[in-house]
Amino acid sequence: MGTIQSSVGLITGIPIQDTVEQLMGISARPRDLLSSRTAALQQEQVAITELTALAVGLDLASAAFGRETLYETTSVASSNSEALSVTQTADSVNLQNQQVRVVQLAQTNSFGSRDLGSSTESLGYSGQLKIETGGFIDSSAALEDLNGGRGVERGQIRITDRSGNSAMIDLSGATTIDDVLASINESTDIDVRASTSGDKIVLTDKTGKTLSNLSVSEVGGGSTASDLGLRGINTASDSASGRDIYSLSAATSLSSLRDGRGVGFAGEDDIAITLRDGTELSIDFGDFSREATNASGTTTAADPNARLTIETVAAGGDYDGLEVLFVNDVGVAAGSETVELLEGTYGKQLVFHIDEGNTTATNIADALAGNEELSALFTATAGGDGSAAVSTADFAVVDGGAAIDPQSNPTIEDLLRVLNEADPKLQTSLSASGDAIELTDLSEGTGTLTIADAEGSTAASDLGLVFEGEADSTTGIALQSGLQSVSLSTLAGGAGLGTLGTISITAHDGSTADVDLSAANSVADVITAINESGLDIEADYNDQGTGIAIRDLTGGTTSNLKVSSLDETAAKLGLEIDTTDTYANGNNLRAQYVSRNTALSELNQGNGVGTGSFTIQDSTGQASIVSLGALESQTVGALIDQINSLSIGVEASLNADGNGIQIVDTSDGEGTLKITDRNGRTSAASLGIAGTAESRVIDGKVTSAIVGSQGISVNVNASDTVATIAAKIQDAGQYASASAAGGRLEILSKRGGTDGRLAVSTTGFDIGLRQTASAQDAVIEVGESGTATLFHSSDNVFSDAISGLSLTAKKVTDSAVDVDVTKNNSAVVSSVTNFVSAYNRLVDRMDALTAFDEATQSVGLLFGSGEVLRMQSQLGNLFTGRINAAGDIKSLGEIGVRLSDSGKMTFDTSKLTAKLETDPDSVKEFFTTETTGVAARIKETVDKLAGVGNSVLLNKNNSLQQRIETNNDRIASYNVRLESEEARLYKQYYAMEEAISKLQTNQSFIGNIAPITM
């Protein structure tokens, strides 16, 4: 059995617990004294750690003024912040003040209907309201693309009309042909109308006077008129055409051709060519890359037997651009020709010394082969039989050896390079007009030249080079549509209008004209032909920019304004007109604006469609995932190909309207084709293909399909009100927002600038929708007038016009706003101020930890500490001594930093500020010189005092830690002994109680023994 133990002896009454505790207190005195000493060591360790942190903070503070970039920091200011605000987005900006002129502010495209009465009353209309983000036919060439990519010098021109009045037209802010025409047409000083015809600007005098010639001249010695093709116009005629200023160049992007539809390349071969000598070529443009190969060049001799092909022995571009020349040398006879390689600032030349009139191509080949040194570099092959004489007029350029990386945005130059490298007998170049590709067969064969599309490619067709005939050359179609137009082949969703016929026009005054449009290639050609009909009518683009409009200027009432044709020409042009109105708005001509070459980033009003993924499930329930981020080429064509490669029953293609893609179900299942976005992304929705298939007529057949587009269609019912129509547009969630303002429907693009341009139309009803604000980019001019660069923005914010600055245009300015960039000396002053504060915090803490209070005879935790004394001494010496080998400044005092009698730092900021203004380089050198500058010296000192290596405070901390750990071990040992001693004492006392209890019990037994009586 166990025993009950009590804090007081039950037998003896002795206070056992108190007695043991008192005895243990005596025994624990050595341990408790050691614990007190350990606690003091721990407090000292905390203090050392605190000083270490403050010292490291001092090092970090000094590192700020030790960075050279600090002295390059700048601040910016605008001289007219109400017109242009400036924000610095980088620590430092190039110290160059800029001039910025706000040419125009951005506008967001908006539309409004006529007043329809109450917003909540049914309108009684039925039909569709469409909002599209493209399909515009009133394109306007950028000035930077004119003159073969040389652009136009923006300046001023002077135009004099035939009444003798002159106007100075300021084109310094013009960026497109539209801007040029608007500036001329809006001038009130002259009566001249500017328009375009193909690649030329046309000026028409409207004064009806003959007092002066119609003329154009430069202003201030510029070249603006010349660049616009107008210089030299000085005619007694009422109309004058400038020269052709719009043509292809080597730098023209292939994606911009054919009104942005580009060229259709296949995955493998693209063009099949058979030359007249029977040579068959398969042209694969691929990614337009080229491995390093042997460079070569063929001389220009007219006689094939005199031509020479010079080729490098080794692959690579070392001799790309080498010129091959022939010089007549009186010391050379036929058969003894010499050759030398010249190199200089002019480049490299391979020069043959010949006997003019006698040296043949074979002689040249032999001369090169006989030159041991140069034959190791080049070979020469004579053309034909090599018997014809070469001439000093012959010339060649060796090229094509260097490797060329894959081209993400191939150009005309890349196209011509691949074609010309296919075979020396094939030569391609830009046509004389500069609008097309010309291909020439140099084979001297007599057969048929054939050019065709390879399987799966439309490249030859798109370039207009499909050909079969005996001619040795052919020229493709115009790949650009003029300064202000699109090709007729772009219309009808990209199917084109084909060859047009003749339209008949009747004006209100009864006058008639037949207009032959058979030669028209572009919409501009159609408009020009109508305007030259002799009728008092005017054709132009409609206010939506999607069709043609005709205005009757006759003032007559004899007849309706009518346009018709015996064939489908009028209908194709959307001009079947019979109206009493003086203005007839033609139908949308459905210009294609989504093609296989369209970049996905250009869709969704230029916002792109993201890189998300979506699921396509066919009508049998089979599903696959399409990931846009995994596409090798981020184009619509690549997406279509990816969908068509899926192992499910669907087929993707461009839709018939040329404004998106369509997905047709080919599986004939019982379910319904569905497309859904994944993981919260909206790529399918942005492509207009998210949703469920409907029965549609496609290619003459009823099929289940999802037909996407870059637009929205809203069905309008008789019960709809202005408010419900606005709500339907809002619910569509894309491209535009809408509201019911009183009785008016107002539609606003969701994107500002030209990327947010919309085409809004109604079918089945007319609510008088008109454009209330055109889509317009903000434009600023950066730099001095005449050499300034223009920048565009859709939201008035320019983040890339000046490196490191964000500019926000707020108001158009006639004169330039100065953007001043200055050194930000306050950043240096601020860094030194922070350092002084860090040092003073360290000094305050050292003073507190080493303090002695005479009144209370108390001391700080580190009173008398040698470590603190060393810190005070070393830091004091550093900051009061001379600092050599760090430039002209020799002490902190020279820049306003001093130690006071209390040991704390003071800082006169005016001294540093003055020094930064008068000698900033010396200040920078003083603080930042490697190893000897102030920052380097502070780091070196702090590292010795508090660094991670063998530093004063770290060693002290480690020493304290060792003592603390030793003491803790001893305390633990004491505790073990004390616990044992306490247990022994309790055991002894309880044993004593038990013994006394037994004695008492025995005494009781003895006392109870009765004597035995006999």
Side-chain angles (χ1 to χ4, degrees), residues 9 50 139 190 218 318 321 515 521 577 590 643 690 693 705 727 967:
E50 188 176 357
S139 63
I190 55 174
E218 303 283 8
D318 290 346
V515 181
N521 292 310
I577 297 170
R590 296 168 42 236
I643 294 173
N967 288 353

Side-chain angles (χ1 to χ4, degrees), residues 817-882:
V817 176
D818 292 326
V819 176
D820 297 324
V821 182
T822 57
K823 277 285 186 68
N824 184 15
N825 291 336
S826 62
V828 179
V829 174
S830 177
S831 69
V832 176
T833 299
N834 292 338
F835 170 77
V836 169
S837 297
Y839 180 78
N840 288 339
R841 285 193 296 272
L842 175 61
V843 170
D844 285 341
R845 193 56 186 149
M846 286 192 296
D847 288 346
L849 291 171
T850 58
F852 169 69
D853 188 335
E854 187 174 357
T856 61
Q857 294 295 298
S858 60
V859 296
L861 284 171
L862 300 180
F863 178 74
S865 167
E867 289 77 18
V868 176
L869 290 175
R870 288 182 63 181
M871 288 183 68
Q872 291 171 329
S873 173
Q874 291 187 27
L875 290 174
N877 290 337
L878 173 62
F879 297 134
T880 57
R882 286 179 62 81

Side-chain angles (χ1 to χ4, degrees), residues 509-822:
D509 65 356
S511 58
T512 64
D514 290 334
V515 181
D516 182 5
L517 300 175
S518 60
N521 292 310
S522 69
V523 176
D525 292 341
V526 173
I527 291 174
T528 298
I530 294 174
N531 287 333
E532 293 177 352
S533 66
L535 300 178
D536 195 9
I537 61 173
E538 184 177 72
D540 204 345
Y541 301 104
N542 65 19
D543 57 1
Q544 295 278 329
T546 58
I548 300 172
I550 296 180
R551 188 183 301 277
D552 188 304
L553 304 175
T554 65
T557 58
T558 303
S559 170
N560 281 1
L561 173 62
K562 300 178 182 180
V563 181
S564 62
S565 64
L566 295 176
D567 55 16
E568 296 182 346
T569 297
K572 288 179 179 179
L573 293 170
L575 290 176
E576 289 184 305
I577 297 170
D578 188 349
T579 180
T580 58
D581 294 336
T582 59
Y583 181 82
N585 200 357
N587 295 335
N588 189 326
L589 294 179
R590 296 168 42 236
Q592 181 181 9
Y593 62 97
V594 176
S595 71
R596 285 183 57 87
N597 292 306
T598 301
L600 296 177
S601 60
E602 295 175 5
L603 301 180
N604 193 25
Q605 295 182 301
N607 292 311
V609 296
T611 56
S613 60
F614 52 86
T615 300
I616 302 179
Q617 179 179 302
D618 67 21
S619 58
T620 66
Q622 296 294 310
S624 287
I625 294 173
V626 176
S627 175
L628 299 188
L631 296 178
E632 286 188 16
S633 174
Q634 291 290 308
T635 63
V636 170
L639 173 60
I640 289 174
D641 293 341
Q642 175 66 24
I643 294 173
N644 289 335
S645 70
L646 302 176
S647 56
I648 59 174
V650 297
E651 182 179 351
S653 62
L654 296 172
N655 67 27
D657 285 329
N659 62 6
I661 65 173
Q662 61 188 20
I663 316 294
V664 175
D665 184 273
T666 60
S667 63
D668 295 327
E670 297 296 325
T672 305
L673 168 67
K674 296 178 182 178
I675 300 179
T676 54
D677 277 303
R678 302 178 69 247
N679 303 322
R681 307 296 287 273
T682 59
S683 293
S686 296
L687 287 163
I689 58 173
T692 303
E694 298 176 330
S695 293
R696 305 287 293 264
V697 177
I698 296 177
D699 295 332
K701 297 186 297 183
V702 176
T703 186
S704 178
I706 295 176
V707 180
S709 76
Q710 290 296 290
I712 58 174
S713 294
V714 173
N715 291 321
V716 176
N717 305 312
S719 60
D720 274 324
T721 67
V722 175
T724 59
I725 294 174
K728 288 180 178 181
I729 295 173
Q730 288 288 98
D731 290 344
Q734 283 185 289
Y735 311 128
S737 60
S739 62
R744 290 169 52 87
L745 175 65
E746 294 187 350
I747 299 173
L748 181 69
S749 176
K750 285 193 171 184
R751 183 174 174 89
T754 55
D755 283 341
R757 186 181 182 186
L758 300 175
V760 181
S761 61
T762 56
T763 303
F765 63 96
D766 182 8
I767 56 176
L769 277 170
R770 294 292 182 268
Q771 181 173 268
T772 54
S774 61
Q776 177 176 288
D777 282 342
V779 179
I780 60 171
E781 182 183 69
V782 179
E784 296 183 1
S785 180
T787 59
T789 302
L790 294 181
F791 294 89
H792 295 248
S793 167
S794 63
D795 58 2
N796 294 319
V797 177
F798 299 82
S799 58
D800 58 355
I802 302 176
S803 178
L805 299 182
S806 176
L807 312 177
T808 301
K810 298 178 178 179
K811 186 168 64 175
V812 174
T813 58
D814 293 327
S815 58
V817 176
D818 292 326
V819 176
D820 297 324
V821 182
T822 57

Side-chain angles (χ1 to χ4, degrees), residues 275 419-420 423-429 438-442:
L275 300 179
L419 287 168
N420 288 327
D423 193 289
K425 294 176 290 187
L426 178 67
Q427 177 180 291
T428 57
S429 61
E438 183 176 7
L439 184 149
T440 303
D441 179 348
L442 300 176

Side-chain angles (χ1 to χ4, degrees), residues 94-278:
N94 190 359
L95 283 174
Q96 180 181 2
N97 295 339
Q98 297 277 12
Q99 290 185 325
V100 180
R101 185 168 72 91
V102 181
V103 177
Q104 67 183 31
L105 297 179
Q107 286 185 172
T108 301
N109 205 191
S110 63
F111 299 81
S113 73
R114 66 174 179 269
D115 190 346
L116 299 171
S118 170
S119 296
T120 57
E121 292 183 2
S122 298
L123 297 175
Y125 296 135
S126 295
Q128 271 193 336
L129 185 151
K130 289 187 176 181
I131 299 175
E132 287 209 62
T133 59
F136 307 110
I137 62 174
D138 57 345
S139 63
S140 181
L143 298 188
E144 64 184 4
D145 293 334
L146 303 185
N147 299 303
R150 291 186 295 104
V152 173
E153 178 185 287
R154 291 184 303 277
Q156 297 174 326
I157 63 174
R158 185 179 301 280
I159 299 178
T160 302
D161 65 20
R162 299 208 63 197
S163 71
N165 291 327
S166 294
M168 189 167 64
I169 309 298
D170 185 3
L171 300 174
S172 59
T175 62
T176 66
I177 280 293
D178 278 353
D179 296 336
V180 173
L181 302 186
S183 296
I184 296 173
N185 293 335
E186 291 171 4
S187 173
T188 58
D189 295 328
I190 55 174
D191 193 2
V192 173
R193 183 181 183 276
S195 60
T196 62
S197 176
D199 298 335
K200 304 174 182 179
I201 296 176
V202 178
L203 300 181
T204 304
D205 184 274
K206 309 293 285 186
T207 65
K209 304 290 181 64
T210 59
L211 299 176
S212 172
N213 279 1
L214 173 63
S215 64
V216 181
S217 59
E218 303 283 8
V219 174
S223 64
T224 305
S226 178
D227 291 342
L228 291 171
L230 300 176
R231 183 175 180 177
I233 289 179
N234 187 1
T235 179
S237 173
D238 289 339
S239 179
S241 295
R243 64 173 175 81
D244 189 330
I245 57 174
Y246 195 32
S247 61
L248 301 174
S249 71
T252 301
S253 169
L254 298 185
S255 63
S256 70
L257 303 181
R258 303 172 60 245
D259 304 322
R261 292 177 293 158
V263 179
F265 299 109
E268 297 180 357
D269 292 341
D270 293 296
I271 298 179
I273 300 176
T274 301
L275 300 179
R276 297 178 70 205
D277 67 353

